[in-house]
Amino acid sequence: MAAAIGPDKIVLNAQVAEIDQSGDRVRVSTADGKQFEGDAIVSTIPFSVMDEIAVKPGWSAGKARMFAEMEWDKTVKIIVKTKSPSWLAQTVRGWPMAGGDRPWERFIDITGNEPGGHGSGFFYLNGDNADAVLALPRAERGPRIVSQFEKDAPGLLGEVVSVSDFAWSEQPWIKGSFGGPPIGGGWMIREWTQPEGRIHFAGDFTTLKTGWVEGAIESGLRAARQIDPSAEQLSGGR
Ligand SMILES: Cc1cc2nc3c(=O)[nH]c(=O)nc-3n(C[C@H](O)[C@H](O)[C@H](O)COP(=O)(O)OP(=O)(O)OC[C@H]3O[C@@H](n4cnc5c(N)ncnc54)[C@H](O)[C@@H]3O)c2cc1C
């Protein structure tokens, strides 16, 4: 995409601090003092951190309610690298390759075509299991889950080389995982589809394909066509 539109037009590490559409054009200001102006903008900023951005004029009642009521979870991944994918050698496969009502919840094999001969996978924790691990000191999280798994499935992981963790609720750029409307939140579908003045919304949390990158792509196409209904895909097809 960068090659198609020009790499010089992509600006990284520019945190949006303000969106001002009170004038003729939309002005976006970043925390480090850059300013951009346009006829319209597509925002993919997660609704979970939208309250950190100053907006002029302020959000409509519907948008403000949607940003406040959208639900976000606290998914934690415990990522494990092993000396070899010993579970595959034991013909244990599948997505997930192990799952149950245990604190380790699910183990997903992501070894794929890893060239070093190592095994790779992650434990995928949500709800009470995520809460329990988040309450631990950081250094204890991975080792605790790995030792719980090894008690239930001795020898399946083989020799563990490294363990790390990634908690969506601890990432300042999103502060949560899996945005979705609450029960009774069907009204949000129309709300996220409607632009706010010249601000158009995209992101997987603005689709019913939440939690999958297809949702992000679908929403990007929707926003692009709101701005230019005759927009063509880069391949030239529609
Ligand atoms: C635990 C988990 C597992 C997943 N597994 C899969 C999977 O197996 N397959 C799959 O297809 N999808 C998966 N997904 C979903 C996939 O990650 C999302 O669909 C995709 O990342 C959404 O893309 P996006 O561009 O909408 O949002 P994001 O990727 O969340 O991007 C939002 C961007 O906004 C930026 N941002 C935030 N605030 C500001 C600001 N003020 N200024 C500028 N930028 C800002 C953030 O830095 C971030 O880069 C998973 C998601 C989670 C949480």
Side-chain angles (χ1 to χ4, degrees), residues 43 47 59 64 85 118 123 142 151-152 154 158 175 192 194 204:
S43 170
F47 294 166
W59 296 114
H118 293 289
F123 292 96
K151 268 190 211 127
D152 289 327
K175 291 186 179 161
W192 69 50
Q194 295 298 309
D204 76 331

Side-chain angles (χ1 to χ4, degrees), residues 14-16 44-46 53 75 124 168 173-174 177 203-204 211-213 216:
Q15 186 185 347
V16 173
T44 66
I45 296 170
I53 293 157
T75 307
Y124 193 80
W168 266 262
W173 52 270
I174 195 161
S177 56
D204 76 331
W212 296 95
V213 84

